[in-house]
Amino acid sequence: MEKSMISASMMCSDLVNLKRTVDIFEKEKIEYLHIDVMDGEFVPNFGLGVDYIRGLRELTDIPLDLHLMIKDPEYKLSWIGIKDTDMVSVHYESTYQVQRMLDRLNCFGCKKFLAINPATPVSYLEEVLDYIDGINLLMVNPGFAGQTIVSSTIKKAEKLQH
């Protein structure tokens, strides 16, 4: 079994004191910085974008855990500045061509994760398991921090462990 890794969410970080936050994460040896990229189309909110990612990369060498909550991500991957040290989660629900989108991630050399929303059945993952390094099971509907967990996702997480 692979060891667990810590990916600190940057969505609620203090932008005014971002360097101080990053310094703390480096000192504490946080393995990844979780970046919620939202386009206002796939989810009804806007999140951290490509300029934020570029700026963050200037502050630190901590790899990024890029959670792409964007519509048709396969056509936007080149905008993001993905590195081979990053993890990239794309949503099953965000594209009609899941395998094509996962194949397009290959050229970046990153770890490929498939994210699924609370209402998406686990069985949808069966045909793409050979294409991914992991699963990002959302316990809330994507787009906003601070939501109450969707109770049915607990059973879904148990299914995924087996």
Side-chain angles (χ1 to χ4, degrees), residues 2 13 24 41 45 48 60 72 88 91 97 117 144 157 162:
E2 211 174 296
S13 62
I24 291 168
E41 191 172 353
N45 195 5
L48 308 172
T60 186
D72 299 322
V88 178
H91 274 265
Q97 300 291 331
N117 291 340
F144 296 95
H162 298 297

Side-chain angles (χ1 to χ4, degrees), residues 87-90 102 105 111-115 132-136:
M87 288 190 309
V88 178
S89 293
V90 290
L102 291 168
L105 279 171
K111 289 189 177 168
K112 301 182 295 186
F113 279 63
L114 196 58
I132 59 176
D133 298 301
I135 298 163
N136 182 352

Side-chain angles (χ1 to χ4, degrees), residues 42 68 73 89-99 101-102 113-117 120-128 136:
F42 178 69
L68 306 182
S89 293
V90 290
H91 274 265
Y92 181 92
E93 309 86 359
S94 68
T95 180
Y96 293 109
Q97 300 291 331
V98 175
Q99 288 172 324
M101 184 252 315
L102 291 168
F113 279 63
L114 196 58
I116 59 171
N117 291 340
T120 302
V122 171
S123 61
Y124 284 20
L125 301 171
E126 288 177 26
E127 298 304 320
V128 293
N136 182 352

Side-chain angles (χ1 to χ4, degrees), residues 3 6 28-29 38 44 48 59 67-68 78 92 97 106 109 116 119 133 141-142 156:
K3 87 172 187 84
I6 296 175
E28 297 300 324
K29 299 185 178 3
M38 296 180 264
L48 308 172
L59 293 177
H67 180 193
L68 306 182
S78 62
Y92 181 92
Q97 300 291 331
N106 288 338
I116 59 171
D133 298 301
N141 287 300
K156 191 182 289 191

Side-chain angles (χ1 to χ4, degrees), residues 46-157:
F46 291 96
L48 308 172
V50 294
D51 290 334
Y52 178 88
I53 292 168
R54 264 190 229 108
L56 191 58
R57 291 208 193 271
E58 289 180 24
L59 293 177
T60 186
D61 291 326
I62 298 174
L64 302 183
D65 170 7
L66 298 161
H67 180 193
L68 306 182
M69 293 178 270
I70 59 178
K71 186 170 175 20
D72 299 322
E74 62 270 33
Y75 304 112
K76 301 167 186 169
L77 295 173
S78 62
W79 306 350
I80 296 166
I82 299 168
K83 293 190 173 191
D84 61 357
T85 54
D86 295 337
M87 288 190 309
V88 178
S89 293
V90 290
H91 274 265
Y92 181 92
E93 309 86 359
S94 68
T95 180
Y96 293 109
Q97 300 291 331
V98 175
Q99 288 172 324
R100 178 186 301 155
M101 184 252 315
L102 291 168
D103 283 342
R104 289 208 175 149
L105 279 171
N106 288 338
C107 68
F108 299 101
C110 61
K111 289 189 177 168
K112 301 182 295 186
F113 279 63
L114 196 58
I116 59 171
N117 291 340
T120 302
V122 171
S123 61
Y124 284 20
L125 301 171
E126 288 177 26
E127 298 304 320
V128 293
L129 287 175
D130 291 341
Y131 290 80
I132 59 176
D133 298 301
I135 298 163
N136 182 352
L137 171 62
L138 273 70
M139 306 298 265
V140 298
N141 287 300
F144 296 95
Q147 298 179 66
T148 302
I149 193 169
V150 175
S151 60
S152 63
T153 59
I154 301 297
K155 288 179 188 162
K156 191 182 289 191

